[in-house]
Amino acid sequence: AHSLATSRVDLQAVTRFTRIPVLVYSVGLIVFVLFAPNLLKSLDILRKPLLQIGRNSYTTYLLHTLVLRLFVFFIPALVTRSLFVFGLLVVIVSIVSSEIFNNCLKFLKK
């Protein structure tokens, strides 16, 4: 089994350098929504998926670090081969696991 030490990927160093791009992306998205609301309304097909992702955003945020650590631990070669594929898989698995987690919580509350 591989560990974070043998995979040569320091998650703290990686996430430290994502703060500025995330800040730029967030501010850019807010400015886009404020100044181009008509264009946003024309993209109505994206409305439902984006609303669902928004509803699950907190659990997605909480689960993404677990998903990152599991991927780096179990699939270290994927990290070094294709960062795009790795990132896409982390996003997809985080969103899907968040949806499943929230549905389980709703079921348990009933």
Side-chain angles (χ1 to χ4, degrees), residues 1-15:
H2 289 55
S3 69
L4 288 175
T6 60
S7 69
R8 291 184 239 125
V9 175
D10 183 11
L11 286 178
Q12 288 182 342
V14 170
T15 56

Side-chain angles (χ1 to χ4, degrees), residues 65-100:
T65 55
L66 175 64
V67 172
L68 268 172
R69 291 192 183 273
L70 289 174
F71 272 32
V72 169
F73 184 76
F74 289 112
I75 317 173
L78 181 64
V79 177
T80 57
R81 282 198 191 122
S82 176
L83 189 59
F84 176 75
V85 172
F86 177 74
L88 186 63
L89 281 174
V90 168
V91 168
I92 290 170
V93 171
S94 296
I95 290 172
V96 169
S97 61
S98 173
E99 182 72 26
I100 292 168

